[in-house]
Amino acid sequence: METSPLLELTDISKSYTLGKTKFQVLKSITTFFHSGCFSVIAGPSGSGKSTLLNVLGCLDTPDQGDYMLSSRKINYHNKKELATTRKNNFGFVFQSFNLIPVLTAIENVALPMTLHSFNKKETREKSEEILRLVGLSHRLYNKPGELSGGEQQRVAIARAIVSKPKVVFADEPTANLDRKNTKNIVSLMKRLNTEHNISFVFASHDEAVIQAAKELYLLENGRLQIKKVV
């Protein structure tokens, strides 16, 4: 028996106005993502990949359409509810890592846990456990400036998954990495998906990420179409 989708979009549209010109970025998008997905939204630069990811992550509001999370409709008019939805359900990985430079790796990873009811001992133990999981047990007390680009992105991934979100949204996570680190990061996220059932939705035009996709979507001219399902 097929389970209900984890994320479901129906007739989602989004536009931006620049001066007197209106740009229609997303056009009546209807799609869904199941738990355990490793989905990549591909498309040329400026196609709206990041916009769609921001709508999925409740960081942006569509002009029209419905968004269901675990069969519950997202209420875009309640900002407090949106913040709670993000906190309890989503993790984020960004192109530029977005680590706090004055904090160590373990302190950066622990940050999301301060929004939840974990005590200091639980926060420390869980942060150490997740950093071990991403291969950084030897870098707990290093600050971002003391880490390579690949190591910084591993810290960012650890921070995204430490609170056990339902899904991680990754926006061009390999864009600032060289080929070797790109391969390692994609391999890490694939392992987290396969072995720990962590759901990932990417916006990326990186061929290494695209090739790893279980579900590949193409966003072009505001329209989304599925290209591959493994």
Side-chain angles (χ1 to χ4, degrees):
M1 181 177 176
E2 181 114 4
T3 58
S4 298
L6 173 61
L7 313 172
E8 186 172 9
L9 301 177
T10 304
D11 200 29
I12 292 288
S13 294
K14 178 68 179 179
S15 62
Y16 295 104
T17 301
L18 187 61
K20 295 182 178 180
T21 306
K22 184 177 181 179
F23 297 93
Q24 191 72 38
V25 184
L26 306 177
K27 301 176 182 177
S28 300
I29 289 176
T30 296
T31 193
F32 58 85
F33 303 88
H34 281 290
S35 180
C37 65
F38 199 83
S39 302
V40 178
I41 301 165
S45 296
S47 61
K49 300 187 298 295
S50 293
T51 298
L52 180 54
L53 211 65
N54 286 341
V55 169
L56 285 165
C58 294
L59 296 171
D60 204 351
T61 304
D63 298 337
Q64 68 173 47
D66 293 328
Y67 179 17
M68 305 286 285
L69 169 63
S70 300
S71 300
R72 181 180 62 83
K73 186 176 178 179
I74 297 294
N75 179 7
Y76 285 104
H77 301 293
N78 189 325
K79 299 302 181 184
K80 184 176 181 181
E81 186 177 316
L82 280 178
T84 300
T85 296
R86 288 192 296 268
K87 180 188 77 170
N88 292 338
N89 298 282
F90 303 148
F92 298 92
V93 178
F94 303 96
Q95 174 179 334
S96 55
F97 316 139
N98 286 5
L99 301 177
I100 297 178
V102 298
L103 299 183
T104 63
I106 193 169
E107 289 170 336
N108 268 285
V109 172
L111 272 179
M113 301 187 72
T114 63
L115 301 174
H116 299 269
S117 55
F118 295 103
N119 60 41
K120 287 185 177 181
K121 184 173 183 291
E122 289 174 321
T123 297
R124 180 182 178 80
E125 289 177 351
K126 187 64 177 175
S127 299
E128 286 188 8
E129 176 190 341
I130 294 298
L131 281 167
R132 282 198 300 272
L133 183 64
V134 301
L136 288 179
S137 58
H138 61 302
R139 293 293 206 183
L140 300 180
Y141 304 107
N142 290 94
K143 294 179 180 178
E146 301 167 333
L147 302 173
S148 69
E151 288 172 333
Q152 289 185 61
Q153 195 61 299
R154 284 174 181 265
V155 174
I157 292 168
R159 181 184 58 191
I161 66 175
V162 70
S163 298
K164 295 187 176 179
K166 289 183 179 179
V167 59
V168 173
F169 298 110
D171 191 0
E172 300 284 5
T174 59
N176 289 335
L177 302 178
D178 59 28
R179 185 171 296 181
K180 179 181 177 181
N181 277 311
T182 291
K183 181 180 178 181
N184 291 338
I185 288 297
V186 172
S187 177
L188 169 63
M189 291 188 286
K190 193 73 174 177
R191 178 168 60 84
L192 292 170
N193 174 255
T194 303
E195 297 179 8
H196 299 273
N197 201 39
I198 297 173
S199 303
F200 285 91
V201 179
F202 300 83
S204 181
H205 62 266
D206 189 320
E207 195 61 32
V209 179
I210 291 170
Q211 289 298 321
K214 290 196 290 190
E215 305 88 18
L216 176 62
Y217 299 82
L218 177 64
L219 182 60
E220 202 166 19
N221 298 319
R223 306 286 185 181
L224 187 72
Q225 56 179 312
I226 189 160
K227 303 295 288 185
K228 179 182 82 171
V229 178
V230 176

